[in-house]
Amino acid sequence: GLLRCAVCGAAMSPSYAAKRGKRFSYYVCQSMVRRGAKSCPGSRVSAGAVEAAVIDQIRALGSNRDLLDATLAAAREQAATRDTTADADLAALDARGQALATRQTRLVEAIERGGDSSALATRLTAVETELREVATRADALRAEQQAKTPVAVDEHALRAAMAAFSGLWGAMASHEQARALRLLVEGIRFDARAGSLEIDFHDAAIRLLAKE
């Protein structure tokens, strides 16, 4: 899950206790579950408190200037970054493809001039097979690069999306909120010593949600 103990770094899992006919849900540190209370004292928190804190912070996204700045910075950095290794691999594949195409043409011409058709045909088949393989690999690499091409971010649209987010969250159905939570939140840390909860949002959280 997303929730982890800030004291020891272990995951915190849901549990519950029943008292006087009522059920109380909470999250508990797995270190404490597996090795006892002394291993991570007090690492237990009410499920309701965690969920309310997370929702409050998500509702506040619209006025979170730091998140807006981080989102824009991440988008610009992504747009400025290219995979130079992939570029080199694609250039090598293209060069190999051109060399094979040239060899293919020469073999066809040799066969037309009446050369040893059997031997030449065998070599031609091998060249054509490799040429198809190279073309397939190059096409796949181009498609992969295209999929990684960053989408330009409109700063004004992003600001508008963030300003409207609080109202948007309130209008979402529960399953839509759960999906948005997975898109927005990278991790949650609960510190039992300080009684604090910290939420790490994905760098491009709002941009991802708006794209969906």
Side-chain angles (χ1 to χ4, degrees):
L2 295 173
L3 182 61
R4 303 194 76 84
C5 173
V7 176
C8 69
M12 296 189 73
S13 57
S15 188
Y16 71 92
K19 187 176 181 181
R20 296 178 182 176
K22 293 183 178 181
R23 178 167 168 160
F24 299 90
S25 298
Y26 58 89
Y27 290 92
V28 61
C29 173
Q30 283 299 296
S31 293
M32 189 168 71
V33 171
R34 294 169 182 168
R35 297 191 292 274
K38 291 183 179 180
S39 65
C40 198
S43 293
R44 184 193 308 257
V45 62
S46 163
V50 169
E51 290 157 9
V54 171
I55 290 172
D56 284 347
Q57 289 201 37
I58 287 176
R59 283 183 176 276
L61 283 174
S63 58
N64 191 328
R65 176 72 192 200
D66 289 341
L67 180 61
L68 172 61
D69 291 342
T71 301
L72 289 169
R76 288 163 181 158
E77 181 180 355
Q78 184 185 44
T81 302
R82 286 191 60 85
D83 188 341
T84 55
T85 300
D87 287 344
D89 289 344
L90 186 56
L93 286 171
D94 286 341
R96 180 61 177 165
Q98 291 173 7
L100 288 168
T102 299
R103 190 181 303 176
Q104 179 188 41
T105 299
R106 290 174 179 171
L107 286 169
V108 169
E109 291 173 348
I111 291 173
E112 290 174 347
R113 289 195 299 268
D116 185 345
S117 59
S118 178
L120 291 171
T122 299
R123 291 167 58 190
L124 179 61
T125 298
V127 167
E128 289 176 339
T129 298
E130 186 179 355
L131 185 58
R132 285 193 297 271
E133 291 174 352
V134 167
T136 298
R137 287 162 56 197
D139 288 345
L141 188 53
R142 286 192 181 91
E144 184 179 338
Q145 285 185 308
Q146 183 65 31
K148 291 180 178 179
T149 299
V151 178
V153 176
D154 184 325
E155 182 172 346
H156 296 294
L158 182 58
R159 290 181 188 279
M162 292 191 72
F165 189 71
S166 179
L168 175 65
W169 177 264
M172 287 179 178
S174 58
H175 71 279
E176 292 173 328
Q177 289 180 343
R179 182 168 178 267
L181 185 65
R182 290 193 297 272
L183 283 173
L184 293 168
V185 177
E186 184 174 5
I188 306 168
R189 296 185 305 279
F190 172 67
D191 189 334
R193 299 167 301 186
S196 63
L197 192 75
E198 294 184 2
I199 300 176
D200 294 325
F201 290 101
H202 290 294
D203 285 339
I206 298 298
R207 181 164 55 87
L208 285 170
L209 189 62
K211 182 179 177 182
E212 293 293 319

Coordinates of all heavy atoms in Angstrom, one line a residue, residues 98-188:
Q98 N 20.2 0.3 -44.5 CA 20.6 0.8 -45.7 C 21.7 -0.1 -46.4 O 21.7 -0.4 -47.6 CB 21.2 2.2 -45.5 CG 20.2 3.2 -45.2 CD 20.8 4.6 -44.8 OE1 22.0 4.8 -45.0 NE2 19.9 5.5 -44.3
A99 N 22.6 -0.6 -45.5 CA 23.6 -1.5 -46.1 C 23.0 -2.8 -46.6 O 23.4 -3.3 -47.7 CB 24.6 -1.9 -45.0
L100 N 22.0 -3.4 -45.9 CA 21.4 -4.6 -46.3 C 20.6 -4.3 -47.6 O 20.5 -5.2 -48.5 CB 20.4 -5.1 -45.2 CG 21.1 -5.7 -44.0 CD1 20.1 -5.9 -42.9 CD2 21.8 -7.1 -44.4
A101 N 19.9 -3.2 -47.7 CA 19.2 -2.9 -48.9 C 20.1 -2.8 -50.1 O 19.7 -3.2 -51.2 CB 18.4 -1.5 -48.7
T102 N 21.3 -2.2 -49.9 CA 22.2 -2.1 -51.0 C 22.7 -3.5 -51.5 O 22.8 -3.8 -52.7 CB 23.5 -1.3 -50.6 OG1 23.0 0.0 -50.2 CG2 24.5 -1.2 -51.7
R103 N 23.0 -4.4 -50.4 CA 23.4 -5.8 -50.8 C 22.3 -6.5 -51.5 O 22.5 -7.3 -52.4 CB 23.7 -6.5 -49.5 CG 24.4 -7.8 -49.7 CD 24.7 -8.5 -48.4 NE 25.6 -7.7 -47.5 CZ 26.0 -8.1 -46.3 NH1 25.5 -9.2 -45.8 NH2 26.7 -7.3 -45.6
Q104 N 21.0 -6.3 -51.0 CA 19.9 -6.9 -51.7 C 19.8 -6.5 -53.2 O 19.6 -7.4 -54.0 CB 18.6 -6.5 -51.0 CG 17.3 -7.1 -51.6 CD 16.1 -6.4 -50.9 OE1 16.0 -5.2 -50.7 NE2 15.1 -7.3 -50.7
T105 N 20.0 -5.3 -53.5 CA 19.9 -4.8 -54.9 C 21.0 -5.4 -55.7 O 20.8 -5.9 -56.8 CB 20.1 -3.3 -54.9 OG1 19.0 -2.6 -54.2 CG2 20.1 -2.7 -56.3
R106 N 22.2 -5.5 -55.2 CA 23.3 -6.1 -55.9 C 23.1 -7.6 -56.2 O 23.4 -8.1 -57.2 CB 24.6 -5.9 -55.1 CG 25.1 -4.5 -55.1 CD 26.3 -4.2 -54.2 NE 26.7 -2.8 -54.3 CZ 27.6 -2.3 -53.5 NH1 28.2 -3.1 -52.6 NH2 28.0 -1.1 -53.6
L107 N 22.5 -8.3 -55.2 CA 22.2 -9.7 -55.4 C 21.2 -10.0 -56.4 O 21.3 -10.9 -57.3 CB 21.8 -10.4 -54.0 CG 22.9 -10.6 -53.0 CD1 22.3 -10.9 -51.6 CD2 23.9 -11.7 -53.5
V108 N 20.1 -9.1 -56.4 CA 19.1 -9.2 -57.4 C 19.7 -9.0 -58.8 O 19.4 -9.7 -59.8 CB 18.0 -8.2 -57.2 CG1 17.0 -8.1 -58.4 CG2 17.2 -8.6 -55.9
E109 N 20.6 -8.0 -58.9 CA 21.2 -7.7 -60.2 C 22.1 -8.8 -60.7 O 22.2 -9.2 -61.9 CB 22.1 -6.4 -60.1 CG 21.2 -5.1 -59.9 CD 22.0 -3.9 -59.6 OE1 23.3 -4.1 -59.3 OE2 21.5 -2.8 -59.7
A110 N 22.8 -9.5 -59.7 CA 23.7 -10.6 -60.0 C 22.9 -11.8 -60.6 O 23.3 -12.5 -61.5 CB 24.5 -11.0 -58.8
I111 N 21.7 -12.0 -60.0 CA 20.9 -13.1 -60.4 C 20.4 -12.8 -61.8 O 20.3 -13.7 -62.7 CB 19.7 -13.3 -59.5 CG1 20.2 -13.9 -58.1 CG2 18.6 -14.2 -60.1 CD1 19.1 -13.9 -57.0
E112 N 20.0 -11.5 -62.1 CA 19.5 -11.1 -63.4 C 20.5 -11.3 -64.5 O 20.2 -11.5 -65.7 CB 18.9 -9.7 -63.4 CG 17.7 -9.6 -62.5 CD 17.2 -8.1 -62.4 OE1 18.1 -7.2 -62.7 OE2 16.1 -7.9 -61.9
R113 N 21.8 -11.1 -64.1 CA 22.9 -11.3 -65.1 C 23.3 -12.7 -65.3 O 24.2 -13.0 -66.1 CB 24.2 -10.5 -64.5 CG 24.0 -9.0 -64.6 CD 25.4 -8.3 -64.4 NE 26.0 -8.7 -63.1 CZ 25.9 -8.0 -62.0 NH1 25.1 -6.9 -62.0 NH2 26.4 -8.4 -60.9
G114 N 22.6 -13.7 -64.7 CA 22.8 -15.1 -64.9 C 23.8 -15.7 -64.0 O 24.4 -16.7 -64.4
G115 N 24.1 -15.2 -62.8 CA 25.0 -15.8 -61.9 C 24.5 -17.1 -61.4 O 23.4 -17.6 -61.8
D116 N 25.2 -17.7 -60.4 CA 24.8 -19.0 -59.8 C 23.5 -18.7 -59.0 O 23.5 -18.2 -57.9 CB 25.9 -19.4 -58.9 CG 25.6 -20.8 -58.3 OD1 24.4 -21.2 -58.3 OD2 26.5 -21.4 -57.7
S117 N 22.4 -18.9 -59.7 CA 21.1 -18.5 -59.1 C 20.8 -19.2 -57.8 O 20.2 -18.6 -56.9 CB 20.0 -18.8 -60.1 OG 19.9 -20.2 -60.4
S118 N 21.2 -20.5 -57.6 CA 20.9 -21.2 -56.4 C 21.7 -20.5 -55.2 O 21.1 -20.3 -54.1 CB 21.4 -22.6 -56.5 OG 21.1 -23.3 -55.3
A119 N 23.0 -20.3 -55.3 CA 23.8 -19.7 -54.2 C 23.3 -18.3 -54.0 O 23.2 -17.9 -52.8 CB 25.2 -19.8 -54.6
L120 N 23.1 -17.6 -55.1 CA 22.7 -16.2 -54.9 C 21.3 -16.0 -54.3 O 21.1 -15.1 -53.4 CB 22.7 -15.5 -56.3 CG 24.1 -15.2 -56.9 CD1 23.9 -14.7 -58.4 CD2 24.9 -14.2 -56.1
A121 N 20.4 -17.0 -54.6 CA 19.1 -16.9 -54.0 C 19.1 -17.2 -52.5 O 18.4 -16.6 -51.8 CB 18.2 -18.0 -54.7
T122 N 20.0 -18.1 -52.1 CA 20.2 -18.4 -50.7 C 20.7 -17.2 -50.0 O 20.1 -16.9 -48.9 CB 21.2 -19.6 -50.5 OG1 20.6 -20.8 -51.2 CG2 21.4 -19.9 -49.0
R123 N 21.7 -16.5 -50.5 CA 22.2 -15.3 -49.9 C 21.2 -14.2 -49.9 O 21.0 -13.5 -48.9 CB 23.5 -14.8 -50.6 CG 24.7 -15.8 -50.5 CD 25.8 -15.5 -51.4 NE 26.2 -14.1 -51.3 CZ 27.1 -13.5 -52.2 NH1 27.5 -14.2 -53.2 NH2 27.5 -12.3 -52.0
L124 N 20.4 -14.1 -51.0 CA 19.3 -13.1 -51.0 C 18.3 -13.3 -50.0 O 17.8 -12.4 -49.3 CB 18.7 -13.1 -52.4 CG 17.6 -12.1 -52.7 CD1 18.1 -10.6 -52.4 CD2 17.0 -12.2 -54.1
T125 N 17.9 -14.6 -49.8 CA 16.9 -14.9 -48.7 C 17.4 -14.5 -47.4 O 16.6 -13.9 -46.6 CB 16.6 -16.4 -48.8 OG1 16.0 -16.7 -50.0 CG2 15.6 -16.7 -47.7
A126 N 18.7 -14.8 -47.1 CA 19.2 -14.4 -45.8 C 19.2 -12.9 -45.6 O 18.9 -12.4 -44.5 CB 20.6 -15.0 -45.6
V127 N 19.6 -12.2 -46.6 CA 19.7 -10.7 -46.6 C 18.3 -10.1 -46.3 O 18.1 -9.2 -45.5 CB 20.3 -10.1 -47.8 CG1 20.1 -8.6 -47.9 CG2 21.8 -10.4 -47.9
E128 N 17.3 -10.6 -47.1 CA 15.9 -10.1 -46.9 C 15.4 -10.4 -45.6 O 14.6 -9.6 -45.0 CB 15.1 -10.8 -48.0 CG 15.4 -10.2 -49.4 CD 14.6 -10.9 -50.5 OE1 14.1 -12.0 -50.3 OE2 14.5 -10.3 -51.6
T129 N 15.7 -11.6 -45.0 CA 15.2 -12.0 -43.7 C 15.8 -11.0 -42.6 O 15.1 -10.5 -41.8 CB 15.6 -13.4 -43.3 OG1 15.0 -14.3 -44.2 CG2 15.2 -13.7 -41.9
E130 N 17.1 -10.7 -42.7 CA 17.7 -9.8 -41.8 C 17.2 -8.4 -42.0 O 17.0 -7.7 -41.0 CB 19.3 -9.8 -41.9 CG 19.9 -8.9 -40.9 CD 21.5 -8.9 -41.0 OE1 22.0 -9.7 -41.9 OE2 22.1 -8.2 -40.2
L131 N 16.9 -8.0 -43.2 CA 16.4 -6.7 -43.5 C 15.0 -6.5 -42.8 O 14.8 -5.4 -42.3 CB 16.3 -6.5 -45.0 CG 15.9 -5.1 -45.5 CD1 16.9 -4.0 -45.0 CD2 15.8 -5.1 -47.0
R132 N 14.2 -7.5 -42.9 CA 12.9 -7.4 -42.3 C 13.0 -7.3 -40.8 O 12.3 -6.6 -40.1 CB 12.0 -8.7 -42.6 CG 11.5 -8.6 -44.1 CD 10.4 -9.7 -44.2 NE 10.9 -11.0 -44.1 CZ 11.4 -11.7 -45.1 NH1 11.5 -11.2 -46.3 NH2 11.9 -13.0 -44.8
E133 N 14.0 -8.1 -40.2 CA 14.2 -8.1 -38.7 C 14.7 -6.7 -38.3 O 14.2 -6.1 -37.3 CB 15.2 -9.1 -38.3 CG 14.7 -10.5 -38.5 CD 15.8 -11.6 -38.2 OE1 17.0 -11.2 -38.1 OE2 15.4 -12.8 -38.2
V134 N 15.6 -6.1 -39.1 CA 16.1 -4.8 -38.7 C 15.0 -3.7 -38.8 O 14.9 -2.8 -38.0 CB 17.3 -4.4 -39.7 CG1 17.6 -2.9 -39.6 CG2 18.5 -5.2 -39.3
A135 N 14.2 -3.8 -39.9 CA 13.1 -2.9 -40.0 C 12.1 -3.0 -38.9 O 11.6 -2.0 -38.4 CB 12.4 -3.1 -41.4
T136 N 11.8 -4.2 -38.5 CA 10.9 -4.4 -37.4 C 11.4 -3.8 -36.1 O 10.7 -3.2 -35.3 CB 10.6 -5.9 -37.2 OG1 10.0 -6.5 -38.4 CG2 9.7 -6.2 -36.0
R137 N 12.7 -4.0 -35.8 CA 13.3 -3.5 -34.6 C 13.3 -2.0 -34.6 O 13.1 -1.3 -33.6 CB 14.7 -4.0 -34.4 CG 14.7 -5.5 -34.0 CD 16.1 -6.2 -34.2 NE 17.2 -5.5 -33.6 CZ 18.5 -5.6 -34.0 NH1 18.8 -6.5 -34.9 NH2 19.4 -5.0 -33.3
A138 N 13.6 -1.4 -35.8 CA 13.6 0.1 -35.9 C 12.2 0.6 -35.7 O 12.1 1.7 -35.1 CB 14.2 0.5 -37.3
D139 N 11.2 0.0 -36.3 CA 9.9 0.5 -36.1 C 9.4 0.4 -34.7 O 8.8 1.4 -34.2 CB 8.9 -0.4 -37.0 CG 9.0 -0.1 -38.5 OD1 9.6 1.0 -38.8 OD2 8.5 -0.9 -39.3
A140 N 9.8 -0.7 -34.0 CA 9.5 -0.8 -32.6 C 10.1 0.3 -31.7 O 9.5 0.9 -30.8 CB 9.9 -2.2 -32.1
L141 N 11.4 0.6 -32.1 CA 12.1 1.6 -31.3 C 11.6 3.0 -31.6 O 11.4 3.8 -30.6 CB 13.6 1.6 -31.7 CG 14.6 2.4 -30.9 CD1 14.4 2.1 -29.4 CD2 16.0 2.2 -31.3
R142 N 11.2 3.2 -32.8 CA 10.5 4.5 -33.1 C 9.2 4.7 -32.4 O 8.9 5.8 -31.9 CB 10.3 4.7 -34.6 CG 11.6 4.9 -35.4 CD 11.2 5.4 -36.8 NE 12.5 5.6 -37.6 CZ 13.1 4.7 -38.3 NH1 12.6 3.4 -38.4 NH2 14.2 5.0 -38.9
A143 N 8.4 3.6 -32.3 CA 7.2 3.6 -31.6 C 7.4 3.9 -30.1 O 6.6 4.6 -29.5 CB 6.4 2.3 -31.8
E144 N 8.4 3.2 -29.6 CA 8.7 3.4 -28.2 C 9.1 4.9 -27.9 O 8.7 5.5 -26.9 CB 9.9 2.5 -27.8 CG 10.2 2.5 -26.3 CD 11.3 1.6 -25.9 OE1 11.5 0.6 -26.7 OE2 12.0 1.8 -24.9
Q145 N 9.9 5.5 -28.8 CA 10.3 6.9 -28.6 C 9.1 7.8 -28.7 O 9.0 8.7 -28.0 CB 11.4 7.2 -29.7 CG 12.8 6.7 -29.4 CD 13.8 7.2 -30.4 OE1 13.6 7.1 -31.6 NE2 14.8 7.8 -29.9
Q146 N 8.2 7.5 -29.7 CA 7.0 8.3 -29.8 C 6.2 8.2 -28.6 O 5.6 9.3 -28.2 CB 6.2 7.8 -31.0 CG 5.0 8.6 -31.3 CD 5.3 10.0 -31.8 OE1 6.4 10.3 -32.4 NE2 4.5 11.0 -31.5
A147 N 6.1 7.1 -28.0 CA 5.3 6.9 -26.7 C 5.8 7.7 -25.6 O 5.1 8.1 -24.7 CB 5.1 5.4 -26.4
K148 N 7.2 7.9 -25.6 CA 7.8 8.6 -24.5 C 7.9 10.1 -24.8 O 8.3 10.9 -23.9 CB 9.3 8.1 -24.3 CG 9.3 6.7 -23.8 CD 10.8 6.3 -23.6 CE 10.9 4.9 -23.0 NZ 12.3 4.4 -22.9
T149 N 7.4 10.5 -26.0 CA 7.5 12.0 -26.3 C 6.6 12.7 -25.3 O 5.4 12.5 -25.2 CB 7.0 12.2 -27.7 OG1 7.9 11.5 -28.6 CG2 7.1 13.7 -28.1
P150 N 7.2 13.7 -24.6 CA 6.4 14.4 -23.6 C 5.3 15.3 -24.3 O 5.5 15.8 -25.4 CB 7.4 15.3 -22.9 CG 8.5 15.4 -23.8 CD 8.6 14.1 -24.6
V151 N 4.2 15.4 -23.6 CA 3.1 16.3 -24.1 C 3.4 17.7 -23.5 O 3.6 17.9 -22.3 CB 1.7 15.8 -23.6 CG1 0.6 16.7 -24.0 CG2 1.5 14.3 -24.1
A152 N 3.3 18.7 -24.4 CA 3.5 20.1 -23.9 C 2.5 20.4 -22.9 O 1.3 20.1 -23.0 CB 3.5 21.0 -25.1
V153 N 2.9 21.1 -21.9 CA 2.0 21.5 -20.8 C 1.6 23.0 -20.9 O 2.5 23.9 -21.0 CB 2.6 21.3 -19.4 CG1 1.7 21.8 -18.3 CG2 2.9 19.8 -19.2
D154 N 0.3 23.3 -21.0 CA -0.2 24.6 -21.1 C -0.2 25.2 -19.6 O -1.1 24.7 -18.8 CB -1.5 24.6 -21.7 CG -2.1 26.1 -21.9 OD1 -1.8 26.9 -21.0 OD2 -2.7 26.3 -22.9
E155 N 0.6 26.1 -19.3 CA 0.7 26.6 -17.9 C -0.7 27.2 -17.5 O -1.1 26.9 -16.3 CB 1.8 27.7 -17.8 CG 1.9 28.2 -16.3 CD 3.1 29.1 -16.2 OE1 4.0 29.1 -17.1 OE2 3.2 29.8 -15.1
H156 N -1.4 27.9 -18.3 CA -2.6 28.5 -18.0 C -3.7 27.4 -17.7 O -4.5 27.5 -16.8 CB -3.1 29.5 -19.0 CG -2.2 30.6 -19.2 ND1 -2.0 31.6 -18.3 CD2 -1.4 31.0 -20.3 CE1 -1.2 32.5 -18.7 NE2 -0.7 32.2 -19.9
A157 N -3.7 26.4 -18.6 CA -4.6 25.3 -18.4 C -4.4 24.5 -17.1 O -5.3 24.1 -16.4 CB -4.6 24.3 -19.6
L158 N -3.1 24.4 -16.8 CA -2.7 23.7 -15.6 C -3.2 24.5 -14.3 O -3.7 23.9 -13.4 CB -1.2 23.5 -15.5 CG -0.6 22.7 -14.3 CD1 -1.3 21.3 -14.2 CD2 0.9 22.6 -14.4
R159 N -3.0 25.8 -14.4 CA -3.4 26.6 -13.2 C -4.9 26.5 -13.1 O -5.4 26.4 -11.9 CB -3.0 28.1 -13.5 CG -1.5 28.3 -13.4 CD -1.2 29.8 -13.6 NE 0.2 30.0 -13.7 CZ 1.1 30.1 -12.7 NH1 0.6 30.0 -11.4 NH2 2.3 30.3 -12.9
A160 N -5.6 26.5 -14.2 CA -7.1 26.4 -14.1 C -7.5 25.1 -13.6 O -8.5 25.0 -12.8 CB -7.7 26.6 -15.5
A161 N -6.9 24.0 -14.0 CA -7.2 22.7 -13.5 C -7.0 22.6 -12.0 O -7.8 22.0 -11.3 CB -6.4 21.6 -14.2
M162 N -5.9 23.1 -11.5 CA -5.6 23.1 -10.1 C -6.6 23.9 -9.3 O -7.0 23.5 -8.2 CB -4.2 23.6 -9.8 CG -3.1 22.6 -10.3 SD -1.5 23.0 -9.7 CE -1.6 22.5 -8.0
A163 N -7.0 25.1 -9.8 CA -7.9 25.9 -9.1 C -9.3 25.3 -9.0 O -10.0 25.5 -8.0 CB -8.1 27.3 -9.9
A164 N -9.6 24.4 -10.0 CA -10.9 23.8 -9.9 C -10.9 22.4 -9.2 O -12.0 21.8 -9.1 CB -11.4 23.6 -11.4
F165 N -9.7 22.0 -8.7 CA -9.6 20.6 -8.3 C -10.4 20.3 -7.0 O -11.0 19.2 -6.9 CB -8.2 20.2 -8.1 CG -8.0 18.8 -7.8 CD1 -8.2 17.9 -8.8 CD2 -7.7 18.3 -6.5 CE1 -8.1 16.5 -8.6 CE2 -7.6 16.9 -6.3 CZ -7.8 16.1 -7.3
S166 N -10.5 21.3 -6.1 CA -11.2 21.0 -4.9 C -12.7 20.7 -5.1 O -13.2 19.7 -4.6 CB -11.1 22.2 -3.9 OG -11.9 22.0 -2.7
G167 N -13.3 21.4 -6.0 CA -14.7 21.1 -6.4 C -14.8 19.8 -7.1 O -15.8 19.1 -6.9
L168 N -13.8 19.6 -8.0 CA -13.8 18.3 -8.7 C -13.8 17.1 -7.8 O -14.5 16.1 -8.0 CB -12.6 18.3 -9.7 CG -12.4 17.0 -10.5 CD1 -13.6 16.8 -11.5 CD2 -11.1 17.1 -11.3
W169 N -12.9 17.2 -6.8 CA -12.8 16.0 -5.9 C -14.1 15.8 -5.2 O -14.5 14.6 -5.0 CB -11.7 16.3 -4.9 CG -11.5 15.2 -3.8 CD1 -12.1 15.2 -2.6 CD2 -10.8 14.0 -4.0 NE1 -11.8 14.0 -2.0 CE2 -11.0 13.3 -2.8 CE3 -10.0 13.5 -5.0 CZ2 -10.4 12.0 -2.6 CZ3 -9.4 12.2 -4.8 CH2 -9.6 11.5 -3.7
G170 N -14.8 16.8 -4.7 CA -16.1 16.6 -4.0 C -17.1 16.0 -4.9 O -18.1 15.4 -4.4
A171 N -17.0 16.2 -6.2 CA -18.1 15.7 -7.1 C -17.8 14.3 -7.6 O -18.6 13.7 -8.2 CB -18.2 16.6 -8.4
M172 N -16.6 13.8 -7.3 CA -16.2 12.4 -7.7 C -17.0 11.3 -6.9 O -17.2 11.5 -5.7 CB -14.7 12.2 -7.6 CG -13.9 12.9 -8.6 SD -12.1 12.6 -8.2 CE -11.3 13.5 -9.5
A173 N -17.3 10.2 -7.6 CA -17.8 9.0 -6.9 C -16.6 8.4 -6.2 O -15.4 8.7 -6.5 CB -18.4 8.1 -7.9
S174 N -16.9 7.5 -5.3 CA -15.8 6.9 -4.5 C -14.8 6.1 -5.3 O -13.6 6.2 -5.1 CB -16.4 5.9 -3.4 OG -17.2 4.9 -4.0
H175 N -15.2 5.4 -6.4 CA -14.3 4.7 -7.2 C -13.4 5.6 -8.0 O -12.3 5.4 -8.3 CB -15.0 3.7 -8.1 CG -15.8 4.3 -9.2 ND1 -17.0 4.8 -9.0 CD2 -15.5 4.5 -10.5 CE1 -17.5 5.3 -10.2 NE2 -16.6 5.1 -11.1
E176 N -14.0 6.8 -8.4 CA -13.2 7.8 -9.1 C -12.2 8.4 -8.2 O -11.0 8.7 -8.6 CB -14.1 8.9 -9.7 CG -15.1 8.4 -10.8 CD -16.1 9.4 -11.2 OE1 -16.5 10.2 -10.3 OE2 -16.5 9.4 -12.3
Q177 N -12.6 8.7 -6.9 CA -11.6 9.2 -6.0 C -10.4 8.2 -5.7 O -9.3 8.6 -5.6 CB -12.3 9.5 -4.6 CG -13.2 10.7 -4.7 CD -13.9 11.0 -3.4 OE1 -14.0 10.1 -2.5 NE2 -14.5 12.2 -3.3
A178 N -10.8 6.9 -5.6 CA -9.7 5.9 -5.4 C -8.7 5.9 -6.6 O -7.5 5.8 -6.4 CB -10.4 4.5 -5.3
R179 N -9.3 6.0 -7.8 CA -8.4 6.1 -9.0 C -7.6 7.3 -9.0 O -6.4 7.3 -9.3 CB -9.3 6.0 -10.3 CG -8.5 6.0 -11.6 CD -9.4 5.6 -12.7 NE -8.7 5.6 -14.0 CZ -8.6 6.7 -14.8 NH1 -9.2 7.8 -14.4 NH2 -8.0 6.7 -15.9
A180 N -8.2 8.4 -8.7 CA -7.4 9.7 -8.6 C -6.3 9.6 -7.6 O -5.2 10.1 -7.8 CB -8.4 10.9 -8.3
L181 N -6.6 9.0 -6.4 CA -5.6 8.8 -5.4 C -4.4 8.1 -5.9 O -3.3 8.5 -5.6 CB -6.3 8.1 -4.2 CG -5.4 8.0 -2.9 CD1 -5.1 9.3 -2.3 CD2 -6.1 7.1 -1.9
R182 N -4.6 7.0 -6.6 CA -3.5 6.2 -7.2 C -2.6 7.1 -8.1 O -1.4 6.9 -8.2 CB -4.0 5.0 -7.8 CG -4.6 3.9 -6.9 CD -4.7 2.6 -7.6 NE -5.7 2.7 -8.7 CZ -7.0 2.5 -8.5 NH1 -7.5 2.2 -7.3 NH2 -7.8 2.5 -9.6
L183 N -3.3 8.0 -8.9 CA -2.6 8.8 -9.8 C -1.8 9.9 -9.1 O -0.7 10.3 -9.6 CB -3.6 9.5 -10.8 CG -4.2 8.6 -11.9 CD1 -5.3 9.4 -12.7 CD2 -3.1 8.2 -12.9
L184 N -2.4 10.4 -8.1 CA -1.8 11.6 -7.4 C -0.7 11.3 -6.4 O 0.3 12.0 -6.3 CB -2.9 12.4 -6.7 CG -4.0 13.1 -7.6 CD1 -5.2 13.5 -6.8 CD2 -3.4 14.2 -8.3
V185 N -1.0 10.3 -5.6 CA -0.1 10.1 -4.4 C 0.9 9.0 -4.7 O 0.7 7.9 -5.1 CB -1.0 9.6 -3.2 CG1 -0.1 9.3 -2.0 CG2 -2.0 10.8 -2.9
E186 N 2.2 9.4 -4.4 CA 3.3 8.4 -4.6 C 3.5 7.6 -3.3 O 3.9 6.5 -3.3 CB 4.6 9.2 -4.9 CG 5.8 8.3 -5.2 CD 7.0 9.1 -5.7 OE1 6.9 10.3 -5.8 OE2 8.0 8.5 -6.0
G187 N 3.3 8.3 -2.1 CA 3.5 7.6 -0.9 C 3.0 8.4 0.3 O 2.9 9.6 0.2
I188 N 2.7 7.8 1.4 CA 2.3 8.4 2.6 C 3.1 7.9 3.8 O 3.3 6.7 3.9 CB 0.8 8.1 2.9 CG1 -0.1 8.5 1.7 CG2 0.3 8.9 4.1 CD1 -1.5 8.0 1.7

